[in-house]
Amino acid sequence: MVNEINAETPRLKCARLRFSIIGPLLASSPQNGDLKKEFKILSQKQWINPNTSLPAYFSTASIERWFYLAKKSNDPISALKPKRRSDA
C-alpha cells in the first residue's frame, strides 16, 4: 500500500513546480514595485511541466496568485496544489 503523504502525485508535482517558481520571491521579499517586475520576468521563462515533460509558460496573474496563496499559508506546498474539480 502506497503512503499517500509521500506519493508523488501529479497534483503534488504541480505544487512543487509552482513553489519552485515563486520560492525565491518568498525568500527574498522584493519591494512592492520590484515584485510586479519579478512576476513579469518569471512569466517570460520557460518551465518544464513535471507531469508531461513539455515546456510550459505561466501568466503573470497566475504567478502572482500563487505567490499570495503561498505567502498567507502555513503549508505553501498544499496551498499550491491544483484544486480538484467538483465534478471529478
Coordinates of all heavy atoms in Angstrom, one line a residue:
M1 N 0.8 -1.2 0.0 CA 0.0 0.0 0.0 C 0.9 1.2 0.0 O 1.8 1.4 0.8 CB -0.9 0.0 1.2 CG -1.9 1.1 1.3 SD -3.0 0.8 2.7 CE -4.0 2.2 2.5
V2 N 0.6 2.2 -0.9 CA 1.4 3.4 -1.0 C 0.9 4.4 0.0 O -0.3 4.6 0.1 CB 1.3 4.0 -2.4 CG1 2.0 5.3 -2.6 CG2 1.8 3.0 -3.5
N3 N 1.9 5.0 0.7 CA 1.5 6.1 1.6 C 1.2 7.3 0.8 O 2.1 7.9 0.1 CB 2.7 6.3 2.6 CG 2.5 7.3 3.6 OD1 1.5 8.1 3.5 ND2 3.4 7.4 4.6
E4 N 0.0 7.8 0.9 CA -0.4 9.0 0.1 C 0.3 10.3 0.5 O 0.5 11.1 -0.4 CB -1.9 9.2 0.3 CG -2.8 8.3 -0.5 CD -4.2 8.7 -0.6 OE1 -4.5 9.9 -0.7 OE2 -5.1 7.8 -0.5
I5 N 0.8 10.4 1.7 CA 1.5 11.6 2.1 C 2.8 11.7 1.3 O 3.3 12.7 0.8 CB 1.8 11.6 3.6 CG1 0.5 11.7 4.3 CG2 2.8 12.7 3.9 CD1 0.6 11.5 5.8
N6 N 3.5 10.5 1.0 CA 4.8 10.5 0.3 C 4.6 10.2 -1.2 O 5.6 10.2 -1.9 CB 5.7 9.5 1.0 CG 6.1 9.9 2.4 OD1 6.2 11.1 2.7 ND2 6.2 9.0 3.3
A7 N 3.4 9.9 -1.6 CA 3.2 9.5 -3.0 C 3.5 10.8 -3.9 O 3.1 11.9 -3.6 CB 1.8 9.0 -3.2
E8 N 4.1 10.5 -5.0 CA 4.4 11.6 -5.9 C 3.3 11.7 -6.9 O 3.3 11.2 -8.0 CB 5.7 11.3 -6.7 CG 6.4 12.4 -7.4 CD 6.9 13.5 -6.5 OE1 7.0 13.4 -5.3 OE2 7.1 14.6 -7.1
T9 N 2.2 12.4 -6.5 CA 1.0 12.5 -7.3 C 1.2 13.7 -8.3 O 2.0 14.6 -8.1 CB -0.2 12.8 -6.5 OG1 0.0 14.1 -5.8 CG2 -0.4 11.7 -5.4
P10 N 0.4 13.7 -9.4 CA 0.5 14.8 -10.3 C 0.2 16.1 -9.7 O 0.9 17.1 -10.0 CB -0.5 14.4 -11.4 CG -0.6 13.0 -11.3 CD -0.4 12.6 -9.9
R11 N -0.7 16.2 -8.8 CA -1.1 17.4 -8.1 C 0.1 17.9 -7.2 O 0.4 19.1 -7.2 CB -2.3 17.2 -7.2 CG -3.6 17.1 -8.0 CD -4.8 16.8 -7.1 NE -5.1 17.9 -6.3 CZ -5.3 17.9 -5.0 NH1 -5.2 16.8 -4.3 NH2 -5.5 19.0 -4.3
L12 N 0.8 17.0 -6.6 CA 2.0 17.3 -5.7 C 3.1 17.8 -6.6 O 3.8 18.8 -6.3 CB 2.4 16.2 -4.9 CG 3.6 16.4 -3.9 CD1 3.3 17.6 -3.0 CD2 3.9 15.1 -3.1
K13 N 3.3 17.2 -7.7 CA 4.4 17.6 -8.7 C 4.1 19.0 -9.2 O 5.0 19.8 -9.3 CB 4.5 16.7 -9.9 CG 5.1 15.3 -9.6 CD 5.1 14.5 -10.8 CE 5.6 13.1 -10.6 NZ 5.6 12.3 -11.8
C14 N 2.9 19.3 -9.5 CA 2.5 20.6 -9.9 C 2.7 21.7 -8.8 O 3.2 22.7 -9.1 CB 1.0 20.6 -10.3 SG 0.5 22.1 -11.1
A15 N 2.3 21.3 -7.6 CA 2.5 22.2 -6.5 C 4.0 22.5 -6.3 O 4.4 23.7 -6.0 CB 1.9 21.6 -5.2
R16 N 4.8 21.5 -6.4 CA 6.3 21.7 -6.2 C 6.9 22.6 -7.3 O 7.7 23.4 -7.1 CB 7.0 20.4 -6.2 CG 6.7 19.6 -4.9 CD 7.5 18.4 -4.8 NE 7.3 17.7 -3.5 CZ 7.5 16.5 -3.3 NH1 7.8 15.6 -4.2 NH2 7.2 16.0 -2.1
L17 N 6.4 22.4 -8.5 CA 6.8 23.3 -9.6 C 6.4 24.7 -9.3 O 7.3 25.6 -9.4 CB 6.2 22.9 -11.0 CG 6.4 23.8 -12.1 CD1 7.9 24.0 -12.4 CD2 5.6 23.4 -13.3
R18 N 5.2 24.9 -8.9 CA 4.7 26.3 -8.6 C 5.6 26.9 -7.5 O 6.0 28.1 -7.5 CB 3.3 26.3 -8.2 CG 2.3 25.9 -9.3 CD 0.9 25.8 -8.9 NE 0.0 25.5 -10.0 CZ -1.3 25.4 -9.9 NH1 -1.9 25.5 -8.7 NH2 -2.0 25.2 -11.0
F19 N 5.9 26.1 -6.4 CA 6.7 26.6 -5.3 C 8.1 26.9 -5.8 O 8.7 27.9 -5.3 CB 6.7 25.6 -4.2 CG 7.4 26.1 -3.0 CD1 6.7 27.1 -2.2 CD2 8.6 25.7 -2.6 CE1 7.3 27.6 -1.0 CE2 9.3 26.2 -1.5 CZ 8.6 27.1 -0.7
S20 N 8.6 26.1 -6.7 CA 10.0 26.4 -7.2 C 10.0 27.7 -8.0 O 11.1 28.3 -8.0 CB 10.5 25.2 -8.0 OG 9.9 25.1 -9.3
I21 N 8.9 28.0 -8.6 CA 8.9 29.3 -9.4 C 8.8 30.5 -8.4 O 9.5 31.4 -8.6 CB 7.7 29.3 -10.3 CG1 7.9 28.2 -11.4 CG2 7.4 30.6 -10.9 CD1 6.6 27.9 -12.3
I22 N 8.0 30.4 -7.4 CA 7.8 31.6 -6.5 C 8.7 31.5 -5.3 O 8.8 32.5 -4.6 CB 6.3 31.7 -6.1 CG1 5.8 30.5 -5.3 CG2 5.5 32.0 -7.3 CD1 4.7 30.8 -4.5
G23 N 9.3 30.4 -5.0 CA 10.0 30.3 -3.7 C 11.1 31.3 -3.5 O 11.2 31.9 -2.4
P24 N 11.9 31.6 -4.6 CA 12.9 32.7 -4.4 C 12.3 34.1 -4.0 O 12.9 34.8 -3.3 CB 13.6 32.7 -5.8 CG 13.4 31.4 -6.3 CD 12.1 30.9 -5.8
L25 N 11.1 34.3 -4.6 CA 10.5 35.6 -4.2 C 10.0 35.6 -2.8 O 10.1 36.6 -2.1 CB 9.2 35.8 -5.1 CG 9.5 36.0 -6.6 CD1 8.2 36.2 -7.4 CD2 10.4 37.2 -6.8
L26 N 9.6 34.5 -2.3 CA 9.2 34.4 -0.9 C 10.4 34.6 0.0 O 10.3 35.2 1.1 CB 8.5 33.1 -0.6 CG 7.1 32.8 -1.3 CD1 6.7 31.4 -1.1 CD2 6.1 33.8 -0.7
A27 N 11.5 34.0 -0.4 CA 12.7 34.1 0.4 C 13.4 35.5 0.4 O 13.9 35.9 1.4 CB 13.7 33.0 0.0
S28 N 13.3 36.2 -0.7 CA 14.0 37.4 -0.8 C 13.2 38.7 -0.5 O 13.7 39.7 -0.2 CB 14.6 37.6 -2.2 OG 13.5 37.8 -3.2
S29 N 11.8 38.6 -0.5 CA 10.9 39.7 -0.2 C 11.3 41.0 -1.0 O 11.7 41.9 -0.4 CB 10.8 39.9 1.3 OG 10.4 38.8 1.9
P30 N 11.2 41.0 -2.3 CA 11.5 42.2 -3.0 C 10.5 43.3 -2.7 O 9.4 43.0 -2.2 CB 11.3 41.8 -4.5 CG 10.7 40.5 -4.5 CD 10.8 39.9 -3.2
Q31 N 10.9 44.5 -3.0 CA 10.0 45.7 -2.7 C 8.7 45.6 -3.6 O 8.8 44.9 -4.6 CB 10.7 47.0 -3.0 CG 12.0 47.2 -2.2 CD 11.6 47.4 -0.7 OE1 10.6 47.9 -0.3 NE2 12.5 46.9 0.1
N32 N 7.6 46.2 -3.2 CA 6.4 46.1 -3.9 C 6.5 46.4 -5.4 O 6.0 45.7 -6.3 CB 5.3 47.0 -3.3 CG 4.8 46.4 -2.0 OD1 4.9 45.3 -1.8 ND2 4.2 47.3 -1.2
G33 N 7.2 47.5 -5.8 CA 7.4 47.8 -7.2 C 8.2 46.8 -7.9 O 7.9 46.5 -9.1
D34 N 9.2 46.3 -7.3 CA 10.0 45.2 -7.9 C 9.3 43.9 -8.0 O 9.6 43.1 -8.9 CB 11.3 45.1 -7.1 CG 12.2 46.3 -7.1 OD1 12.1 47.1 -8.1 OD2 13.0 46.5 -6.2
L35 N 8.3 43.7 -7.1 CA 7.6 42.4 -7.1 C 6.9 42.2 -8.5 O 6.9 41.1 -9.1 CB 6.6 42.4 -6.0 CG 6.0 41.0 -5.6 CD1 7.1 40.0 -5.4 CD2 5.2 41.2 -4.4
K36 N 6.2 43.2 -9.0 CA 5.5 43.1 -10.2 C 6.5 42.8 -11.4 O 6.2 42.1 -12.3 CB 4.7 44.4 -10.5 CG 3.6 44.7 -9.6 CD 2.4 43.9 -9.9 CE 1.3 44.4 -9.0 NZ 0.1 43.5 -9.1
K37 N 7.6 43.5 -11.3 CA 8.7 43.2 -12.3 C 9.1 41.8 -12.3 O 9.3 41.1 -13.3 CB 9.9 44.1 -12.1 CG 9.6 45.6 -12.4 CD 10.8 46.4 -12.1 CE 10.4 47.9 -12.0 NZ 11.5 48.7 -11.5
E38 N 9.3 41.2 -11.1 CA 9.7 39.9 -10.9 C 8.7 38.9 -11.4 O 9.0 37.9 -12.1 CB 10.0 39.5 -9.4 CG 11.2 40.3 -8.9 CD 12.5 39.9 -9.6 OE1 12.7 38.7 -9.9 OE2 13.4 40.7 -9.7
F39 N 7.4 39.2 -11.2 CA 6.3 38.3 -11.7 C 6.4 38.3 -13.3 O 6.3 37.2 -13.9 CB 4.9 38.8 -11.3 CG 4.6 38.7 -9.9 CD1 3.8 39.6 -9.2 CD2 5.1 37.7 -9.1 CE1 3.5 39.6 -7.9 CE2 4.8 37.6 -7.7 CZ 4.0 38.5 -7.1
K40 N 6.6 39.4 -13.9 CA 6.7 39.5 -15.3 C 7.9 38.7 -15.9 O 7.8 38.0 -16.8 CB 6.8 41.0 -15.8 CG 6.8 41.1 -17.3 CD 6.4 42.5 -17.7 CE 6.4 42.7 -19.2 NZ 5.4 42.0 -19.9
I41 N 9.1 38.9 -15.2 CA 10.3 38.1 -15.6 C 10.0 36.6 -15.5 O 10.3 35.9 -16.5 CB 11.5 38.5 -14.7 CG1 11.9 40.0 -15.0 CG2 12.6 37.6 -14.9 CD1 12.9 40.6 -14.1
L42 N 9.4 36.2 -14.4 CA 9.1 34.7 -14.3 C 8.1 34.3 -15.3 O 8.2 33.1 -15.8 CB 8.6 34.5 -12.9 CG 9.6 34.6 -11.8 CD1 8.9 34.5 -10.4 CD2 10.7 33.6 -11.9
S43 N 7.2 35.1 -15.7 CA 6.2 34.7 -16.7 C 6.8 34.5 -18.1 O 6.2 33.9 -19.0 CB 5.0 35.7 -16.8 OG 5.4 36.9 -17.4
Q44 N 7.9 35.1 -18.3 CA 8.6 35.0 -19.6 C 9.5 33.8 -19.7 O 10.1 33.5 -20.8 CB 9.3 36.3 -19.9 CG 8.4 37.5 -20.1 CD 9.1 38.8 -20.2 OE1 10.3 38.9 -19.8 NE2 8.4 39.8 -20.6
K45 N 9.8 33.2 -18.6 CA 10.6 32.0 -18.6 C 9.9 30.7 -19.0 O 8.7 30.6 -18.8 CB 11.2 31.8 -17.2 CG 12.3 32.8 -16.8 CD 12.9 32.4 -15.5 CE 14.0 33.4 -15.1 NZ 14.6 32.9 -13.8
Q46 N 10.6 29.8 -19.5 CA 10.1 28.5 -19.9 C 10.3 27.5 -18.8 O 11.4 27.5 -18.2 CB 10.7 28.0 -21.2 CG 10.2 26.7 -21.6 CD 10.9 26.2 -22.9 OE1 11.1 27.0 -23.8 NE2 11.2 24.9 -23.0
W47 N 9.3 26.8 -18.4 CA 9.4 25.8 -17.3 C 9.1 24.4 -18.0 O 8.4 24.4 -19.0 CB 8.4 26.2 -16.2 CG 8.6 27.5 -15.7 CD1 8.0 28.7 -16.2 CD2 9.5 28.0 -14.8 NE1 8.4 29.8 -15.5 CE2 9.4 29.4 -14.6 CE3 10.5 27.4 -13.9 CZ2 10.2 30.2 -13.8 CZ3 11.2 28.1 -13.1 CH2 11.1 29.5 -13.0
I48 N 9.4 23.4 -17.3 CA 9.1 22.0 -17.7 C 8.0 21.5 -16.8 O 8.2 21.4 -15.6 CB 10.4 21.1 -17.7 CG1 11.5 21.7 -18.6 CG2 10.0 19.7 -18.1 CD1 11.1 21.8 -20.1
N49 N 6.9 21.1 -17.5 CA 5.8 20.5 -16.7 C 6.3 19.2 -16.2 O 6.7 18.3 -17.0 CB 4.6 20.4 -17.7 CG 3.4 19.8 -17.0 OD1 3.5 18.9 -16.2 ND2 2.2 20.4 -17.3
P50 N 6.3 18.9 -14.9 CA 6.8 17.7 -14.3 C 5.9 16.5 -14.7 O 6.4 15.3 -14.6 CB 6.8 17.9 -12.8 CG 5.8 19.0 -12.6 CD 5.8 19.8 -13.9
N51 N 4.7 16.7 -15.1 CA 3.8 15.6 -15.4 C 3.9 15.2 -16.8 O 3.6 14.0 -17.2 CB 2.3 15.9 -15.0 CG 2.2 16.1 -13.5 OD1 2.7 15.3 -12.7 ND2 1.6 17.2 -13.1
T52 N 4.2 16.1 -17.7 CA 4.2 15.8 -19.2 C 5.6 15.9 -19.8 O 5.8 15.5 -20.9 CB 3.3 16.7 -19.9 OG1 3.7 18.1 -19.8 CG2 1.8 16.6 -19.4
S53 N 6.5 16.6 -19.1 CA 7.9 16.9 -19.5 C 7.9 17.8 -20.7 O 8.8 17.9 -21.5 CB 8.6 15.6 -19.9 OG 8.8 14.8 -18.7
L54 N 6.8 18.5 -20.9 CA 6.6 19.5 -22.0 C 6.9 20.9 -21.5 O 6.7 21.2 -20.3 CB 5.2 19.5 -22.6 CG 4.9 18.2 -23.3 CD1 3.4 18.2 -23.8 CD2 5.7 17.9 -24.5
P55 N 7.4 21.8 -22.4 CA 7.6 23.2 -21.9 C 6.3 23.9 -21.6 O 5.3 23.6 -22.1 CB 8.3 23.9 -23.1 CG 8.5 22.8 -24.1 CD 7.8 21.6 -23.7
A56 N 6.4 24.8 -20.6 CA 5.2 25.5 -20.1 C 5.6 26.9 -19.8 O 6.7 27.2 -19.4 CB 4.6 24.8 -18.9
Y57 N 4.6 27.8 -20.0 CA 4.8 29.2 -19.6 C 3.6 29.5 -18.7 O 2.5 28.9 -18.9 CB 4.8 30.1 -20.8 CG 6.0 30.0 -21.7 CD1 6.0 29.1 -22.7 CD2 7.1 30.8 -21.5 CE1 7.1 29.0 -23.5 CE2 8.2 30.7 -22.3 CZ 8.2 29.7 -23.3 OH 9.4 29.6 -24.1
F58 N 3.7 30.4 -17.8 CA 2.7 30.8 -16.9 C 2.5 32.3 -16.9 O 3.4 33.0 -17.0 CB 3.0 30.3 -15.4 CG 3.2 28.8 -15.4 CD1 4.5 28.3 -15.3 CD2 2.1 27.9 -15.5 CE1 4.7 26.9 -15.2 CE2 2.3 26.5 -15.4 CZ 3.6 26.0 -15.3
S59 N 1.2 32.7 -16.8 CA 0.9 34.1 -16.9 C 1.4 34.8 -15.6 O 1.5 34.2 -14.5 CB -0.6 34.3 -17.1 OG -1.3 34.0 -15.9
T60 N 1.6 36.1 -15.8 CA 1.9 37.0 -14.6 C 0.9 36.9 -13.5 O 1.2 36.8 -12.4 CB 2.1 38.4 -15.1 OG1 3.0 38.5 -16.1 CG2 2.5 39.4 -14.0
A61 N -0.4 36.8 -13.9 CA -1.5 36.7 -13.0 C -1.5 35.4 -12.2 O -1.7 35.4 -11.0 CB -2.8 36.9 -13.7
S62 N -1.1 34.3 -12.9 CA -1.1 33.0 -12.2 C 0.1 33.0 -11.2 O -0.1 32.6 -10.0 CB -0.8 31.9 -13.2 OG -2.0 31.7 -14.0
I63 N 1.2 33.5 -11.6 CA 2.4 33.6 -10.7 C 2.1 34.5 -9.5 O 2.4 34.1 -8.3 CB 3.6 34.0 -11.4 CG1 4.0 33.0 -12.5 CG2 4.8 34.3 -10.5 CD1 5.0 33.4 -13.5
E64 N 1.4 35.6 -9.7 CA 1.1 36.5 -8.6 C 0.1 35.8 -7.7 O 0.2 35.9 -6.4 CB 0.5 37.8 -9.2 CG 0.2 38.8 -8.1 CD -0.3 40.1 -8.7 OE1 -0.5 40.2 -9.9 OE2 -0.5 41.0 -7.9
R65 N -0.9 35.1 -8.2 CA -1.9 34.4 -7.4 C -1.2 33.3 -6.5 O -1.4 33.2 -5.3 CB -2.9 33.8 -8.3 CG -4.1 33.1 -7.5 CD -5.1 32.5 -8.4 NE -4.6 31.3 -9.1 CZ -4.4 31.2 -10.4 NH1 -4.6 32.3 -11.2 NH2 -3.9 30.1 -11.0
W66 N -0.3 32.6 -7.1 CA 0.5 31.5 -6.4 C 1.3 32.2 -5.3 O 1.4 31.6 -4.2 CB 1.4 30.8 -7.3 CG 0.8 30.0 -8.4 CD1 -0.5 29.6 -8.5 CD2 1.4 29.6 -9.6 NE1 -0.7 29.0 -9.7 CE2 0.4 29.0 -10.4 CE3 2.7 29.8 -10.1 CZ2 0.7 28.5 -11.7 CZ3 3.0 29.2 -11.4 CH2 2.0 28.6 -12.1
F67 N 1.9 33.3 -5.6 CA 2.8 34.0 -4.6 C 1.9 34.3 -3.3 O 2.3 34.0 -2.2 CB 3.4 35.3 -5.2 CG 4.2 36.1 -4.2 CD1 5.5 35.7 -3.9 CD2 3.6 37.2 -3.6 CE1 6.2 36.5 -3.0 CE2 4.3 38.0 -2.7 CZ 5.6 37.6 -2.4
Y68 N 0.8 35.0 -3.5 CA 0.0 35.4 -2.4 C -0.7 34.2 -1.7 O -0.9 34.2 -0.5 CB -1.0 36.5 -2.8 CG -0.3 37.8 -3.1 CD1 -0.2 38.3 -4.4 CD2 0.3 38.5 -2.1 CE1 0.4 39.5 -4.6 CE2 1.0 39.6 -2.3 CZ 1.1 40.1 -3.6 OH 1.7 41.3 -3.9
L69 N -1.0 33.2 -2.4 CA -1.6 31.9 -1.8 C -0.5 31.3 -0.9 O -0.8 31.0 0.3 CB -1.9 30.9 -2.9 CG -3.3 30.9 -3.4 CD1 -3.4 29.9 -4.6 CD2 -4.3 30.5 -2.3
A70 N 0.7 31.2 -1.4 CA 1.8 30.6 -0.6 C 2.2 31.5 0.6 O 2.4 31.0 1.7 CB 3.0 30.3 -1.5
K71 N 2.2 32.8 0.4 CA 2.6 33.7 1.4 C 1.7 33.7 2.6 O 2.1 33.8 3.8 CB 2.7 35.1 0.8 CG 3.3 36.1 1.8 CD 3.5 37.4 1.1 CE 4.1 38.4 2.0 NZ 4.4 39.7 1.4
K72 N 0.4 33.5 2.4 CA -0.6 33.5 3.5 C -0.8 32.2 4.1 O -1.5 32.1 5.1 CB -1.9 34.2 3.1 CG -2.7 33.4 2.2 CD -4.0 34.1 1.9 CE -4.9 33.2 1.0 NZ -6.2 33.8 0.7
S73 N -0.2 31.1 3.6 CA -0.4 29.8 4.0 C 0.7 29.3 5.0 O 1.8 29.6 4.8 CB -0.5 28.8 2.8 OG -0.6 27.5 3.3
N74 N 0.3 28.5 5.9 CA 1.3 27.8 6.8 C 1.9 26.6 6.1 O 3.0 26.2 6.5 CB 0.6 27.3 8.1 CG 0.2 28.4 9.0 OD1 0.8 29.5 9.0 ND2 -0.8 28.2 9.8
D75 N 1.3 26.1 5.1 CA 1.8 25.0 4.3 C 1.7 25.4 2.8 O 0.7 25.0 2.1 CB 1.0 23.7 4.6 CG 1.5 22.5 3.8 OD1 2.6 22.6 3.2 OD2 0.9 21.4 4.0
P76 N 2.7 26.1 2.3 CA 2.6 26.6 0.9 C 2.5 25.5 -0.2 O 1.8 25.7 -1.1 CB 3.9 27.4 0.7 CG 4.7 27.3 1.9 CD 3.9 26.5 2.9
I77 N 3.1 24.4 0.0 CA 3.0 23.3 -1.0 C 1.6 22.8 -1.1 O 1.0 22.7 -2.2 CB 3.9 22.1 -0.6 CG1 5.4 22.6 -0.6 CG2 3.7 21.0 -1.6 CD1 6.0 23.0 -1.9
S78 N 0.9 22.6 0.0 CA -0.5 22.2 0.0 C -1.4 23.3 -0.6 O -2.3 23.0 -1.4 CB -1.0 21.9 1.3 OG -0.4 20.7 1.8
A79 N -1.1 24.5 -0.3 CA -1.9 25.7 -0.9 C -1.7 25.8 -2.4 O -2.6 26.2 -3.0 CB -1.5 27.0 -0.2
L80 N -0.6 25.4 -2.9 CA -0.3 25.5 -4.3 C -0.8 24.3 -5.2 O -0.7 24.3 -6.4 CB 1.2 25.7 -4.5 CG 1.7 27.1 -4.0 CD1 3.2 27.1 -4.1 CD2 1.0 28.2 -4.8
K81 N -1.3 23.3 -4.5 CA -1.8 22.1 -5.3 C -3.0 22.6 -6.1 O -3.9 23.4 -5.6 CB -2.3 21.0 -4.4 CG -1.2 20.2 -3.8 CD -1.7 19.1 -2.9 CE -0.7 18.3 -2.2 NZ -1.2 17.3 -1.4
P82 N -3.1 22.1 -7.3 CA -4.3 22.5 -8.1 C -5.6 21.9 -7.4 O -5.5 20.8 -6.8 CB -4.1 21.8 -9.5 CG -2.7 21.4 -9.5 CD -2.2 21.3 -8.1
K83 N -6.6 22.7 -7.5 CA -7.9 22.2 -6.8 C -8.5 21.2 -7.7 O -8.5 21.2 -8.9 CB -8.8 23.4 -6.6 CG -8.2 24.6 -5.9 CD -7.9 24.2 -4.5 CE -7.3 25.4 -3.7 NZ -6.1 25.0 -3.0
R84 N -9.1 20.2 -7.0 CA -9.8 19.2 -7.7 C -11.2 19.7 -8.2 O -11.8 20.5 -7.5 CB -10.1 18.0 -6.8 CG -8.8 17.3 -6.5 CD -9.1 15.9 -5.8 NE -7.8 15.3 -5.6 CZ -7.6 14.2 -5.0 NH1 -8.7 13.5 -4.6 NH2 -6.4 13.7 -4.8
R85 N -11.5 19.3 -9.4 CA -12.8 19.8 -9.9 C -13.9 19.1 -9.1 O -13.8 18.0 -8.7 CB -12.9 19.3 -11.4 CG -12.0 20.1 -12.3 CD -12.1 19.6 -13.7 NE -13.5 19.4 -14.1 CZ -13.9 19.5 -15.4 NH1 -13.1 19.8 -16.3 NH2 -15.2 19.2 -15.7
S86 N -15.0 19.9 -8.9 CA -16.1 19.3 -8.2 C -16.8 18.2 -8.9 O -17.5 17.4 -8.2 CB -17.1 20.5 -7.8 OG -17.6 21.0 -9.0
D87 N -16.7 18.2 -10.2 CA -17.4 17.1 -10.9 C -16.5 15.9 -11.3 O -16.9 15.0 -12.0 CB -18.0 17.7 -12.2 CG -16.9 18.2 -13.2 OD1 -15.8 18.4 -12.8 OD2 -17.3 18.5 -14.3
A88 N -15.3 15.9 -10.7 CA -14.3 14.8 -11.0 C -14.7 13.6 -10.2 O -15.3 13.6 -9.2 CB -12.9 15.3 -10.6

